[in-house]
Amino acid sequence: FLTNIKTSSRNKTSKMTGRKVAFSNVEIIELPYTIGSGPTSGAPVTLGWDLIDRSSFNLDFFEHYRPPRRTKPALRLSAQKRRYL
């Protein structure tokens, strides 16, 4: 499953323009992998449309408890896992 993270409302000031952006919540949307279309050396993978789960958290809470970022190799979907989609 893939997780998409959307944030909103936390203050950040741009040094060049003095404009502010604010983030306060993180919305996590989980979507399934599915077979896609396109040239690739294996089965092409894309995101499905069926929502698996949706969660919303306060940004400070999320930053404190979120899991560590995954490495590039950890983000790859192996050929064997693609085969069983």
Side-chain angles (χ1 to χ4, degrees), residues 59-76:
L59 182 59
D60 292 324
F61 175 87
F62 177 78
E63 286 295 325
H64 188 265
Y65 291 103
R66 72 176 174 84
R69 296 187 187 274
R70 293 182 287 173
T71 63
K72 281 188 180 184
L75 293 172
R76 291 189 185 111

Side-chain angles (χ1 to χ4, degrees), residues 30-46:
E30 293 183 58
L31 301 169
Y33 293 121
T34 188
I35 300 297
S37 60
T40 183
S41 60
V45 176
T46 190

Side-chain angles (χ1 to χ4, degrees), residues 22-23 43-45 48 50 56 60 72 75 78 81:
F23 301 95
V45 176
D50 298 324
S56 184
D60 292 324
K72 281 188 180 184
L75 293 172
S78 71
K81 286 182 181 177

